[in-house]
Amino acid sequence: MDTLFLACLVVLGIWAIQRNVSRAERTAARVERKLDLVMEHLDLHEEIPNKDGIVALVREGRTVQAVKAYREATGAGLLEAKQAVDRLA
């Protein structure tokens, strides 16, 4: 009986943690969208380290390598990096 109670308690704890993480991720995404809008409004552009090298890879048609280089330079996720490289093309 004690084992079942502890198992239920652990499951509820994990559920609560996951819920808080999901909420934090949604909040971070909302803040990021707002920051992007502010930067766009102020006509500010994010500086990309090694941008010239990434652009050169795009021009050579080496998109996969350009995405990889962008991810390494910025720490961006795969989708974000792919979209950014597509904008550089």
Side-chain angles (χ1 to χ4, degrees), residues 11-26:
V11 168
L12 286 175
I14 291 172
W15 175 75
I17 291 170
Q18 180 61 36
R19 188 170 164 225
N20 287 338
V21 168
S22 295
R23 185 179 305 138
E25 287 174 344
R26 287 191 308 270

Side-chain angles (χ1 to χ4, degrees), residues 13-80:
I14 291 172
W15 175 75
I17 291 170
Q18 180 61 36
R19 188 170 164 225
N20 287 338
V21 168
S22 295
R23 185 179 305 138
E25 287 174 344
R26 287 191 308 270
T27 301
R30 232 179 4 259
V31 169
E32 231 177 280
R33 283 192 303 272
K34 289 178 183 180
L35 181 58
D36 288 343
L37 289 172
V38 169
M39 287 181 67
E40 182 180 328
H41 178 73
L42 295 174
D43 198 29
L44 298 174
H45 304 283
E46 183 178 358
E47 291 298 318
I48 303 168
N50 192 24
K51 182 177 179 179
D52 295 335
I54 296 169
V55 170
L57 289 169
V58 171
R59 286 186 186 141
E60 294 170 7
R62 299 171 58 194
T63 307
V64 173
Q65 290 84 357
V67 169
K68 182 178 178 184
Y70 185 91
R71 290 185 72 193
E72 290 172 354
T74 63
L78 181 59
L79 179 60
E80 181 184 350

